[in-house]
C-alpha cells in the first residue's frame, strides 16, 4: 500500500534523479517532481505552491527559500552529494585537489542555511587513485541513491529520523563563483 502523504522531489535532471523519482512514485500516492539544473530557465514558480507533507532534495542546486520550507508540513531532507566538509558545490573537485582518501553523500534536515541543517547520515567510500571528477560524481550519485532509498523507506515505515551528532558541517561554503574562478585560473572551460 502506498503512503498517502504528499511529497515533492527537487533534483537535478540526471538519470540518478529519475531513479529517485521512480522510487517515490512507487512509494507515494502523490509524488510531485521538479527537476532543474543550474542555468536552466526557471519554468516553475513556487509562489502559489500549497506545500507538501514531505520534501526531498536530491543532488539539487536549487536553493529553497524560508517561505517554501515553511510550507513543508512534516519533513524536509536533502541528499547532498559530498561529505559534510564540502558544503555547497564543487565537492568532487575539491576532494580530489585536497587528496582526500574518502568521499561520500550526506543526508540532512533542510534549514535556511545552505548545507547546514542537522545531519542524519553520511555514507563514505574510498577515493581510488587517479579518480576523476566525473567518476567521483557517478560513484557519489550511486551512494546517494542508496542512501535515498534507505532514508525514504524509513520515513515511509514511520521510523524516527535521528540525527548523527558526531558529524559536523565544515565552516566553508563552496560557491559556484569560487569554483568558476578556480577553473578559469587553471585554464579550464567554464560553463556560462
Amino acid at each position: 500500500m502506498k503512503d498517502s502523504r504528499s511529497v515533492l522531489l527537487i533534483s537535478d535532471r540526471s538519470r540518478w534523479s529519475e531513479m529517485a523519482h521512480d522510487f517515490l512514485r512507487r512509494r507515494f500516492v502523490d509524488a510531485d517532481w521538479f527537476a532543474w539544473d543550474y542555468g536552466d530557465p526557471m519554468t516553475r514558480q513556487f509562489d502559489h505552491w500549497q506545500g507538501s507533507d514531505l520534501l526531498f532534495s536530491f543532488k539539487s542546486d536549487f536553493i529553497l527559500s524560508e517561505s517554501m520550507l515553511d510550507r513543508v508540513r512534516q519533513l524536509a531532507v536533502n541528499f547532498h552529494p559530498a561529505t559534510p566538509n564540502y558544503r555547497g558545490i564543487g565537492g568532487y573537485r575539491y576532494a580530489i585537489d585536497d587528496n582526500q582518501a574518502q568521499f561520500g553523500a550526506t543526508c540532512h534536515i533542510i534549514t535556511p542555511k545552505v548545507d547546514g541543517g542537522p545531519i542524519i547520515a553520511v555514507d563514505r567510500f574510498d577515493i581510488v587513485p587517479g579518480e576523476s571528477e566525473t567518476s567521483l560524481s557517478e560513484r557519489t550519485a550511486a551512494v546517494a541513491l542508496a542512501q535515498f532509498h534507505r532514508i525514504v523507506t524509513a520515513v515511509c515505515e514511520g521510523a524516527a529520523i535521528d540525527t548523527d551528532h558526531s558529524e559536523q558541517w565544515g565552516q566553508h561554503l563552496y560557491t559556484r563563483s569560487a569554483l568558476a574562478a578556480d577553473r578559469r585560473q587553471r585554464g579550464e572551460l567554464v560553463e556560462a
Side-chain angles (χ1 to χ4, degrees):
M1 182 174 193
K2 288 186 176 183
D3 193 307
S4 63
R5 291 176 288 182
S6 61
V7 61
L8 172 62
L9 172 66
I10 296 177
S11 71
D12 65 4
R13 294 183 179 279
S14 70
R15 65 188 172 101
W16 300 102
S17 294
E18 288 178 20
M19 288 185 274
H21 177 243
D22 184 59
F23 183 75
L24 289 178
R25 284 186 321 106
R26 288 183 278 120
R27 298 301 301 251
F28 292 89
V29 172
D30 181 9
D32 191 12
W33 184 25
F34 174 61
W36 179 81
D37 285 319
Y38 181 80
D40 286 354
M42 187 61 71
T43 58
R44 180 171 178 179
Q45 299 298 319
F46 290 96
D47 297 341
H48 301 291
W49 177 60
Q50 296 301 309
S52 62
D53 297 316
L54 305 167
L55 184 145
F56 298 114
S57 175
F58 182 79
K59 293 178 74 281
S60 176
D61 291 343
F62 186 80
I63 304 297
L64 298 156
S65 68
E66 194 165 348
S67 67
M68 192 172 175
L69 287 173
D70 288 343
R71 288 179 264 170
V72 178
R73 291 181 283 279
Q74 293 179 14
L75 183 66
V77 175
N78 184 37
F79 295 85
H80 174 63
T83 48
N85 50 320
Y86 296 107
R87 294 177 50 228
I89 69 154
Y92 316 116
R93 169 55 163 276
Y94 296 119
I96 291 169
D97 287 353
D98 294 344
N99 293 310
Q100 293 291 324
Q102 292 190 320
F103 199 64
T106 303
C107 174
H108 67 94
I109 304 293
I110 302 173
T111 63
K113 181 179 179 182
V114 174
D115 295 333
I119 295 172
I120 296 168
V122 181
D123 294 356
R124 290 181 171 83
F125 59 89
D126 291 340
I127 295 176
V128 297
E131 186 98 60
S132 70
E133 282 183 67
T134 301
S135 67
L136 187 56
S137 168
E138 287 294 297
R139 293 190 329 119
T140 304
V143 168
L145 184 62
Q147 184 183 67
F148 181 86
H149 285 186
R150 187 178 75 244
I151 300 297
V152 169
T153 297
V155 168
C156 288
E157 293 173 351
I161 303 301
D162 297 322
T163 56
D164 183 347
H165 299 289
S166 68
E167 296 284 0
Q168 299 296 316
W169 288 106
Q171 293 299 309
H172 185 75
L173 177 63
Y174 294 86
T175 64
R176 184 167 305 284
S177 59
L179 181 62
D182 180 54
R183 290 190 191 286
R184 277 192 298 277
Q185 183 177 10
R186 294 169 187 248
E188 297 174 7
L189 182 61
V190 178
E191 293 178 14

